[in-house]
Structure formats: structure tokens, C-alpha cells
């Protein structure tokens, strides 16, 4: 039963990562596996293989992959044919996802202005970064795909940040989604390699 639940949890995270504005890390927090997943990833990177919960990682990963490949075609078509509607939905997802990390702050700490200053500083930083949003890249080269994946995957590790939103900022969201839905093996493999490097770095 736990393996089936982990499969579903992985699918929820994968589905979240397909949608700009929804953070896979935030979903992992909500369903209660964020710290466990981070702990196992750390053990993998440190090559402490005997301490890794392999079945946990396998079923979470399988669920994520199934959701990404199963839903990418649907979401790609929806975004392409309903640009304003899809981006309005993404904006709503961003707004509601703010509540999740905020609700996890201790009530006593919510009265401390220091934490609001941290939140404001990060909001200003992200506002400046998103101001450099690129136009959609129609035919990205594989090196740029690698770099985009390495940057976007970092958002999966940080609750509140959306990997798909990072891809959208870089103009790579629709090209990557299209590559997955059309099973463009070269782009998928390069993206996976970039994501792996990004995870190790972060």
C-alpha cells in the first residue's frame, strides 16, 4: 500500500512540475515527503548507497515520470490553444501556493518583522529576475536545453519555486513540453542530464 501511495505522490509532484506556478517542492511538503526525499537525495550524492531507501525513490520517480509523459501532451495543447486562459490559471496557482509555506511558519515567528523582510527581499529579487523573461525559443540548441534544465530543476528542491515557471521565464516551457509530448529523445536525454547536474549542484 505504501508503494502505491508513493506512486500517487510522485504523480502529484510530476503533475505539479508541468504547471508553471505550482511548485513540486511545495506539493512534496503538503504530502509529507519533502524532508525524506531530500535526505535520500543527499545520501545518493554522498554515495552512501546502503542508507538509501531505494523503493521509496523508485516509486516516487516512477510516478513523476508517468505523470510527465502522460500529461505533457494534454497540457501542451491546452497552453498552445488557450494562451491567456492558461496563464491566468498559472497566476492563480502562484497566488494560492504562497499560503502553504506561510502556514508552516510558527505563529510566534509570524510576529517577527525579520521574516517579512526576508520574504520581501526574495519577492523583489524574483520580480527583477522575471522582468527579463525571454520570448519563446522556437528551436533551442541542446546546450541551452541542458542549462535550462539545470536551473529549472533547482526549483524542485526549493518549495515555493516552480521549475516550469523558470522554464517559462527562459522561453523554454513550450519547447520542452512539446519535446516530451512528441518523444524527442535527444532533447529529453539532454534535459535529464542537465536536471541531474542541477540536482547535484543544489
Amino acid at each position: 500500500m505504501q508503494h502505491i501511495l508513493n506512486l500517487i505522490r510522485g504523480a502529484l509532484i510530476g503533475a505539479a512540475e508541468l504547471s508553471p506556478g505550482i511548485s513540486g517542492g511545495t506539493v512534496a511538503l503538503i504530502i509529507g515527503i519533502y524532508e525524506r526525499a531530500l535526505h535520500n537525495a543527499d545520501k545518493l550524492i554522498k554515495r552512501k548507497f546502503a542508507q538509501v531507501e531505494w523503493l521509496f525513490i523508485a516509486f516516487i520517480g516512477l510516478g513523476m515520470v508517468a505523470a510527465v509523459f502522460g500529461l505533457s501532451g494534454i497540457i501542451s495543447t491546452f497552453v498552445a490553444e488557450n494562451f491567456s486562459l492558461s496563464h491566468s490559471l498559472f497566476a492563480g496557482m502562484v497566488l494560492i501556493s504562497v499560503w502553504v509555506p506561510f502556514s508552516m511558519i510558527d505563529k510566534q515567528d509570524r510576529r517577527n518583522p525579520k521574516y517579512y523582510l526576508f520574504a520581501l527581499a526574495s519577492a523583489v529579487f524574483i520580480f527583477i529576475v522575471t522582468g527579463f523573461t525571454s520570448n519563446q525559443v522556437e528551436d533551442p540548441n541542446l546546450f541551452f536545453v541542458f542549462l535550462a534544465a539545470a536551473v529549472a530543476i533547482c526549483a524542485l528542491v526549493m518549495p515555493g519555486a516552480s521549475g516550469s515557471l523558470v522554464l517559462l521565464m527562459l522561453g523554454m516551457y513550450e519547447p520542452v513540453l512539446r519535446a516530451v509530448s512528441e518523444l524527442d529523445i535527444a532533447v529529453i536525454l539532454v534535459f535529464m542530464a542537465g536536471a541531474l547536474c542541477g540536482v547535484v549542484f543544489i
Side-chain angles (χ1 to χ4, degrees), residues 182-199:
E182 295 175 357
L183 294 179
D184 188 331
I185 302 300
V187 173
I188 292 173
L189 289 177
V190 170
F191 189 89
M192 289 174 64
L196 181 61
C197 289
V199 165

Side-chain angles (χ1 to χ4, degrees), residues 93-176:
M93 292 172 186
V94 171
L95 290 175
I96 199 64
S97 66
V98 171
W99 172 252
V100 176
F102 179 78
S103 65
M104 292 182 173
I105 300 173
D106 292 336
K107 291 183 179 180
Q108 185 175 355
D109 289 336
R110 291 180 194 174
R111 302 188 187 96
N112 191 330
K114 174 179 68 176
Y115 297 106
Y116 291 94
L117 289 175
F118 284 142
L120 180 62
S122 63
V124 170
F125 174 74
I126 295 300
F127 178 79
I128 293 172
V129 171
T130 53
F132 296 104
T133 301
S134 173
N135 293 325
Q136 180 179 315
V137 181
E138 294 299 335
D139 188 22
N141 62 63
L142 294 180
F143 180 69
F144 189 57
V145 171
F146 181 90
L147 290 179
V151 174
I153 200 65
C154 295
L156 179 62
V157 185
M158 297 181 290
S162 166
S164 291
L165 187 59
V166 172
L167 290 178
L168 195 65
M169 289 161 48
L170 297 173
M172 288 291 292
Y173 177 67
E174 290 187 43
V176 169

Side-chain angles (χ1 to χ4, degrees), residues 20-93:
I22 305 182
S23 165
T26 299
V27 172
L29 267 178
I30 295 171
I31 59 181
I33 66 166
Y34 176 74
E35 290 186 20
R36 185 179 177 187
L38 206 61
H39 175 75
N40 278 279
D42 184 55
K43 296 299 180 185
L44 270 174
I45 293 167
K46 293 178 178 178
R47 300 181 182 179
K48 297 180 179 179
F49 300 127
Q51 301 177 25
V52 175
E53 297 175 277
W54 291 104
L55 284 176
F56 169 75
I57 290 179
F59 279 93
I60 292 292
L62 186 61
M64 289 177 67
V65 170
V68 167
F69 281 95
L71 298 175
S72 59
I74 299 171
I75 295 178
S76 179
T77 302
F78 174 69
V79 171
E81 296 179 358
N82 304 276
F83 184 85
S84 297
L85 176 60
S86 62
H87 285 68
S88 297
L89 288 172
F90 296 154
M93 292 172 186

